[in-house]
Amino acid sequence: MKFEAQFDEAARRRIAEAVGRAEALSRGQIVPVVVEKSDPYPEVRYRGALLAAAIATAAVLALHLPVTLAELPLVQLAAGLLGAWLSMWNPVERRLAGARALDQAVRARAVRAFHENGLHRTTEGTGVLVFASLFEHEAVILGDRGIHEKMGDAGWDRAVAALVAGMRDDDPGRGFVEAIAQCGARLAEHFPRDPSARPPPNELEDAIRASRT
């Protein structure tokens, strides 16, 4: 799933505007990040090859196919190559990787993105990462120390659900806009902006960040 196909200029502009609106309500700093895939999952190719070779072997033995012992390795090799090729199809790759591996990869990539984008260096510890991984159809929202102390991980559940729903509906741009609005509302509860004070500096750029992995 390519970033360019999902986030045209208009979608990127809507997301940046959503960040601006959300940050206007509080002293928080929100950074949206999207990656096409959180991990290359190289082990999936081997699993696909081994599984296909095992199925081919079982079929030869169960159906008593006219394959000699000398020919069996060739059948297994051909099946293995087919299995490795099929494992590159997204639904098959996700299934062979397994839900736990997908979750771990997305979480690890989100933590990396949090630090890559300087969210751990905001003045009041109120940086919030809104992260989506398109291949896995998963989202993570991470708050820096200040906001995490008040909300924990569960405080972002509605925002995560909105972002995941957007990806599943093939409209991740809408998901980001809705999730960012949810984050802004929660930040406003805990870190409201003082209307009589000078607006805090915008420490981090509002635009969405994107990468292949």
Side-chain angles (χ1 to χ4, degrees):
M1 186 178 294
K2 300 299 183 182
F3 169 80
E4 293 83 359
Q6 298 289 329
F7 297 88
D8 59 15
E9 183 178 349
R12 294 195 298 272
R13 184 172 60 252
R14 287 196 300 272
I15 292 168
E17 290 170 350
V19 172
R21 289 193 299 271
E23 290 182 348
L25 301 173
S26 73
R27 304 190 307 278
Q29 294 288 313
I30 298 173
V31 172
V33 175
V34 60
V35 299
E36 291 181 5
K37 197 175 189 179
S38 288
D39 191 274
Y41 306 105
E43 69 280 2
V44 167
R45 309 291 174 264
Y46 297 105
R47 290 177 188 171
L50 290 173
L51 179 60
I55 291 172
T57 302
V60 168
L61 296 176
L63 301 175
H64 304 289
L65 298 177
V67 176
T68 67
L69 288 177
E71 294 170 335
L72 183 57
L74 295 176
V75 173
Q76 294 170 326
L77 176 60
L81 291 173
L82 177 62
W85 178 73
L86 288 174
S87 71
M88 292 188 288
W89 185 34
N90 285 355
V92 175
E93 186 173 7
R94 282 191 287 264
R95 179 60 62 88
L96 289 176
R100 183 177 180 181
L102 296 176
D103 291 342
Q104 290 175 340
V106 172
R107 186 77 182 185
R109 185 63 184 86
V111 170
R112 198 175 103 206
F114 189 90
H115 291 280
E116 287 173 342
N117 290 284
L119 283 154
H120 58 299
R121 295 196 298 266
T122 57
T123 303
E124 295 187 69
T126 56
V128 175
L129 172 75
V130 181
F131 177 87
S133 192
L134 300 179
F135 169 79
E136 293 86 353
H137 291 169
E138 292 192 23
V140 175
I141 296 179
L142 298 176
D144 198 9
R145 60 191 185 280
I147 193 69
H148 187 76
E149 288 173 358
K150 295 180 178 293
M151 294 184 59
D153 292 326
W156 306 115
D157 284 350
R158 289 182 64 188
V160 168
L163 186 44
V164 170
M167 285 190 284
R168 289 181 176 168
D169 292 341
D170 204 28
D171 190 0
R174 185 204 74 205
F176 265 104
V177 169
E178 294 177 0
I180 290 165
Q182 294 276 357
C183 291
R186 298 311 308 273
L187 282 167
E189 292 176 22
H190 299 290
F191 295 90
R193 181 177 292 190
D194 183 352
S196 63
R198 182 178 180 180
N202 188 17
E203 299 179 65
L204 300 169
E205 186 183 359
D206 294 346
I208 188 169
R209 283 80 157 167
S211 67
R212 303 296 180 192
T213 59

